[in-house]
Amino acid sequence: MRLTDAAAIAGIGSTAFGKHLDGAEKDLACQAIVAALDDAGLDPGEVDGMCSYTMEETDEVEIAKNIGAGEIAFFSRIGYGGGGGCATIAQLAMAVATGRCTVGVAWRSRKRGSGLRPWAAAEGQPSTGAQWTRPFGLLRPADEIAMLARRYLHTYGATRDHLANVALACRRHANANPGAMMFERTLTREQYHAARWVSEPLGLYDCCLETDGALACVVVSGERAADLPQRPVYVHSASQGLPRQHHGMTNYWGPDPLRGPGYACARPLWRAAEFTPADVSVAQIYDAFTPLVPFSLEAYGFCGPGEGASFTEDGGIELGGRLPVNTSGGGLSEAYVHGFNLIVEGVRQLRGTATTQVADARTCLVTSGECVPTSALLLRN
């Protein structure tokens, strides 16, 4: 049995994004899920499948009760935070395609804009991976990615101006998106370079936002989606990736630390697809930090190793460029909800309803977090 186009995203929903939003994470999750079901024209009582993240603070029992779901026949959770988003859709697509459920909901809810930092609260013995990094000063995700970014700049002759291209592209797209936290809040190259360091070579605008908010998607069979109100967005291919001997959040010990989980994820993704990177209309690439975009452009085959930085030049990842990326603003300028907003924006692009719309968009790549065990989707309309 092939997954190809057997399931489709039929509904999307989200709350507002911001800091210090009212309500608990459970409240936000329920709001987003009910909005997605309403978008799909489905009753909550039809929901019989659920998938979210292991790091999600809301559990299936509470969500099912509070939205009024029916009997749940399938539920699962995906690990590794930012690496898990696309896999939630993939799991539901497989469950629908194999008859395990008929109406699945995937979601992510966070109140990080209210001050919650999961690494800041950690006490006691570090995890297996972190015990080799935290004692030496790599305390935050920004510190770990900064090490890889420095290696990338040194190895390939890239500069912080290339990272600025990513930040500026995301900000320009967010400036046109009324739902983005950075709507109408412009950013100049001069402001980018003048900003304070977070973890050198990463400055303030190389790092994602801190956001409260929630998003959700509804997954049904491709056949059923064709009869629902919204234009179906088919799950064409999906994969996860965990390289051999991967270590912790990032792997500094492999033969090439810059060949991260995206490479392991890309191979099965394209192997199961009926089109190639050259056929992708638009991409939503996980951008908790600016270097992750060139890393992923290379991993998923849009350019060769070390060429991701130059790919961003001359508006290459902006509307009208070689490959428009993160057209809602992404984690850098729309909202940071562990990448789930990238999936929702991919759906909007293929429906033709995005605020920065790619003309005649037919296919979309969505990626989850590079450097951690990850996942990806190829969507088509």
Side-chain angles (χ1 to χ4, degrees):
M1 177 178 287
R2 297 184 66 200
L3 178 63
T4 312
D5 303 335
I9 300 173
I12 53 176
S14 69
T15 67
F17 302 129
K19 293 192 174 185
H20 308 292
L21 296 184
D22 291 335
E25 288 182 342
K26 179 179 71 176
D27 301 324
L28 297 175
C30 290
Q31 291 170 31
I33 292 168
V34 169
L37 289 164
D38 186 59
D39 184 56
L42 295 171
D43 186 87
E46 297 182 71
V47 173
D48 59 354
M50 309 178 81
C51 191
S52 191
Y53 299 57
T54 56
M55 293 178 67
E56 176 69 29
E57 294 296 322
T58 57
D59 64 57
E60 298 85 358
V61 171
E62 287 299 307
I63 295 297
K65 284 194 301 185
N66 281 279
I67 68 169
E71 290 188 351
I72 304 301
F74 174 86
F75 51 95
S76 67
R77 293 191 178 202
I78 310 297
Y80 300 100
C86 292
T88 66
I89 303 299
Q91 291 249 340
L92 289 178
M94 289 189 289
V96 167
T98 55
R100 298 303 89 202
C101 68
T102 58
V103 177
V105 293
W107 74 94
R108 183 66 170 123
S109 176
R110 303 200 80 192
K111 293 210 73 176
R112 190 155 144 180
S114 294
L116 179 62
R117 306 288 191 279
W119 60 88
E123 295 181 355
Q125 181 70 20
S127 66
T128 301
Q131 66 181 299
W132 301 106
T133 54
R134 283 192 177 179
F136 303 97
L138 302 186
L139 302 178
R140 306 161 298 173
D143 302 321
E144 300 203 54
I145 301 303
M147 289 274 285
L148 291 181
R150 176 61 71 195
R151 172 70 172 260
Y152 185 85
L153 299 184
H154 172 79
T155 301
Y156 295 116
T159 69
R160 290 197 71 239
D161 226 34
H162 290 112
L163 303 183
N165 292 339
V166 176
L168 292 170
C170 290
R171 182 61 65 92
R172 287 167 184 153
H173 297 157
N175 287 164
N177 175 10
M181 291 180 70
M182 294 294 115
F183 176 55
E184 294 185 336
R185 296 176 63 179
T186 59
L187 176 66
T188 66
R189 195 170 295 271
E190 293 72 24
Q191 288 173 315
Y192 169 88
H193 284 293
R196 63 176 173 86
W197 293 119
V198 174
S199 188
E200 195 174 350
L202 304 182
L204 178 64
Y205 299 114
D206 292 302
C207 302
C208 64
L209 300 169
E210 302 288 2
T211 307
D212 288 357
L215 303 103
C217 290
V218 176
V219 178
V220 300
S221 71
E223 183 179 11
R224 185 173 187 184
D227 295 326
L228 295 177
Q230 303 295 344
R231 184 179 189 179
V233 173
Y234 297 95
V235 180
H236 182 72
S237 180
S239 66
Q240 291 176 269
L242 171 59
R244 294 175 183 172
Q245 298 297 305
H246 188 73
H247 185 93
M249 178 176 164
T250 57
N251 187 6
Y252 304 123
W253 295 274
D256 182 355
L258 297 173
R259 290 184 69 87
Y263 285 88
C265 189
R267 283 187 285 272
L269 183 78
W270 294 117
R271 188 166 58 240
E274 296 174 357
F275 55 86
T276 70
D279 302 310
V280 172
S281 305
V282 59
Q284 311 299 331
I285 294 178
Y286 192 88
D287 61 338
F289 306 99
T290 55
L292 302 187
V293 172
F295 293 174
S296 294
L297 288 170
E298 296 169 18
Y300 288 91
F302 295 100
C303 55
E307 296 175 355
S310 60
F311 194 99
T312 68
E313 294 174 352
D314 302 318
I317 59 172
E318 297 186 37
L319 191 66
R322 286 190 284 174
L323 179 70
V325 168
N326 297 1
T327 46
S328 65
L332 290 166
S333 283
E334 182 190 31
Y336 183 67
V337 195
H338 260 157
F340 210 97
N341 52 319
L342 300 174
I343 303 170
V344 170
E345 174 65 6
V347 174
R348 287 192 293 248
Q349 281 289 343
L350 298 184
R351 286 182 178 181
T353 61
T355 52
T356 299
Q357 180 64 47
V358 174
D360 197 32
R362 298 293 183 192
T363 57
C364 180
L365 167 72
V366 186
T367 73
S368 291
E370 181 53 286
C371 302
V372 294
T374 192
S375 56
L377 295 169
L378 287 173
L379 306 175
R380 75 160 188 88
N381 57 20

